Amino acid sequence: MLGMSSPAIFPPAVRHHLSPDAFADARRVVFEQVRVFSVGPDYVVPRLTGVSPEVRDGTPEHSRLDCEYYDTEGSDLTADGVALRWEAQPQEWTAVLPAKSVTGESIRCEASYAGTAGVVPDPVYRLLHLYLDGRGLGYAARVVSRRLTRPLTRRTGIRLAEVIDENVEATRSDGAQRQYRNISVEVRDLDGLGRKLIADVCDRLLRSGCNIEAPPAQLARGIVQAG
């Protein structure tokens, strides 16, 4: 299992439901703090150099993500801040679950498993069992994201955080479409410098004109509210 980061605490009901080997078959498990801001098309991300004397603004990276999202007929996963997506490259299912850091910060857990289109792997079903409560899963939307990622690193080169400028086009299963733009800050160092860094970066974004922080289940805007 690759990509395991800082420890986390799940809500009591979820913790009771998860088996000790819940992530044994995962390709990757990541716990991270995430803050998401909704912004307009003309917003300019400020330079992040100097946000902390211990951090450098790395070289920007361009990428494109093309995912299929799945949910219940009533969008119950989205309502609970949970997401399930499939990516053709690298043939992978990812479940996104809410959790808490050991210091009580709201974070998310991303667990990824190998799998083909349309067939949700059994370990993923087991992770989502509590949220599904017997309800079936179905295709909800295709979400295409064009990203510009600005890494923030220690002076030694270790990556601490990413600031992601994301232009999203969501096409719901009924054909309704929505386009929007997010700025997200993702930090995997959940304590120490990571906690201070996410606070400092978010403060700079707010002072530069970012809109109010979007809700945790921000994908609801594309999946539930398309059109």
Side-chain angles (χ1 to χ4, degrees):
M1 181 169 58
L2 302 177
M4 179 69 79
S5 61
S6 302
I9 301 171
F10 289 95
V14 178
R15 210 161 55 236
H16 175 74
H17 160 73
L18 291 177
S19 65
D21 61 348
F23 301 117
D25 297 323
R27 283 180 170 175
R28 181 179 64 257
V29 181
V30 172
F31 296 98
E32 57 190 3
Q33 285 182 284
V34 181
R35 300 291 182 269
V36 181
F37 302 86
S38 56
V39 297
D42 298 326
Y43 173 77
V44 177
V45 180
R47 287 184 60 83
L48 299 172
T49 302
V51 72
S52 167
E54 301 176 69
V55 174
R56 294 190 305 180
D57 191 358
T59 303
E61 304 164 353
H62 293 269
S63 61
R64 180 181 183 274
L65 300 180
D66 190 340
C67 306
E68 293 180 358
Y69 278 81
Y70 290 75
D71 207 332
T72 65
E73 185 176 357
S75 301
D76 297 286
L77 296 184
T78 300
D80 284 335
V82 176
L84 174 63
R85 68 177 184 262
W86 181 78
E87 296 176 65
Q89 295 295 334
Q91 292 281 301
E92 190 171 82
W93 289 86
T94 298
V96 183
L97 308 173
K100 295 282 187 181
S101 74
V102 293
T103 55
E105 299 289 337
S106 294
I107 62 173
R108 73 182 182 192
C109 168
E110 290 200 1
S112 299
Y113 299 79
T116 56
V119 182
V120 181
D122 287 343
V124 175
Y125 264 119
R126 289 195 290 270
L127 284 179
L128 300 178
H129 174 75
L130 184 70
Y131 299 99
L132 293 174
D133 193 24
R135 294 178 287 261
L137 283 168
Y139 173 75
R142 179 189 179 197
V143 178
V144 178
S145 167
R146 293 170 176 80
R147 292 178 156 200
L148 176 61
T149 299
R150 293 173 169 85
L152 298 176
T153 67
R154 287 185 183 271
R155 295 193 177 277
T156 57
I158 297 174
R159 186 172 299 209
L160 290 172
E162 295 177 343
V163 178
I164 303 170
D165 186 351
E166 185 174 30
N167 287 282
V168 180
E169 181 178 291
T171 304
R172 213 167 56 182
S173 57
D174 61 5
Q177 292 186 326
R178 185 178 179 88
Q179 296 181 344
Y180 55 95
R181 185 182 175 202
N182 287 333
I183 305 295
S184 60
V185 184
E186 301 182 357
V187 176
R188 294 182 185 177
D189 175 17
L190 303 183
D191 299 298
L193 182 56
R195 291 179 63 188
K196 184 177 187 306
L197 182 60
I198 196 168
D200 291 345
V201 171
C202 290
D203 179 67
R204 181 165 294 193
L205 291 175
L206 286 169
R207 287 190 287 107
S208 70
C210 267
N211 296 334
I212 189 168
E213 190 169 359
Q218 71 272 12
L219 278 166
R221 289 188 293 148
I223 297 175
V224 179
Q225 303 171 1

